[in-house]
Amino acid sequence: MGATSITQELTCPIAAARMFKALIIEANALIPKLLPQFIKSVELVQGDGAAGSIEQVNFTEASHFKYVRHRIDELDKENFVCRYTMIEGDALGDKLESIDYEVKFDAASDGGSVCKMTSKYNTKEAFQVEEEEIKAGKEKAMAIFKVVESYLLENPQAYA
């Protein structure tokens, strides 16, 4: 099994605690509400949302994927860190065993935050992840991040 890792860093005018709560803690309710054209639902299929829990993201017919399942590996609400692994779903295709993610929010000096996202693509056998596949994944993550950021800017009382 091989692995390819990428890291991206985003700055945001929203405080770290608020972004973490919206994008990580409350994502199962918020993301389908903000992106109903792509995400049908996010449901907890095992556990209570803490480490060890498994959630399933169900996509709409507009997506070429049906669903993915994530296992929450760590959820540190005090330090705004979440580690989770995509363990199942057609998004893994025939090349990927799993994808490990780490999302960490740090406070920025201007009252906003800095989000550092790391993705580690664990491949089956000697497969190599294509740069186009990585780029597509980064673009999807960035789009979701920006939709949540815009929602929080437009709704200053939400997740305060």
Side-chain angles (χ1 to χ4, degrees), residues 27-39:
N28 59 344
L30 183 62
I31 301 300
K33 176 180 160 183
L34 297 180
L35 296 165
Q37 66 275 33
F38 301 112
I39 299 179

Side-chain angles (χ1 to χ4, degrees), residues 7 11 30 33 38 43 50 60 62-63 79 82 88 109-110 113 120 122 125 127 133 141 153:
T7 299
T11 58
L30 183 62
K33 176 180 160 183
F38 301 112
E43 57 193 63
T60 66
S63 174
N79 294 303
C82 180
E88 184 181 319
S109 60
D110 64 0
S113 59
K120 180 181 173 190
N122 302 300
E125 301 171 12
F127 284 115
E133 294 169 307
L153 286 170

Side-chain angles (χ1 to χ4, degrees), residues 102-115:
E102 179 179 45
V103 181
K104 181 174 185 352
F105 288 92
D106 289 314
S109 60
D110 64 0
S113 59
V114 176
C115 177

Side-chain angles (χ1 to χ4, degrees), residues 83-153:
R83 289 185 183 91
Y84 62 99
T85 304
M86 182 187 299
I87 57 170
E88 184 181 319
D90 47 359
L92 291 172
D94 60 352
K95 292 181 183 178
L96 295 172
E97 187 73 38
S98 63
I99 306 173
D100 301 325
Y101 298 96
E102 179 179 45
V103 181
K104 181 174 185 352
F105 288 92
D106 289 314
S109 60
D110 64 0
S113 59
V114 176
C115 177
K116 185 175 181 182
M117 294 183 279
T118 302
S119 304
K120 180 181 173 190
Y121 296 80
N122 302 300
T123 60
K124 295 178 181 176
E125 301 171 12
F127 284 115
Q128 186 70 20
V129 179
E130 301 294 326
E131 192 166 323
E132 285 301 313
E133 294 169 307
I134 292 173
K135 183 179 176 187
K138 283 175 72 172
E139 287 172 358
K140 287 176 187 171
M142 176 74 91
I144 293 170
F145 184 91
K146 289 298 183 184
V147 166
V148 171
E149 177 185 81
S150 293
Y151 173 79
L152 293 176
L153 286 170

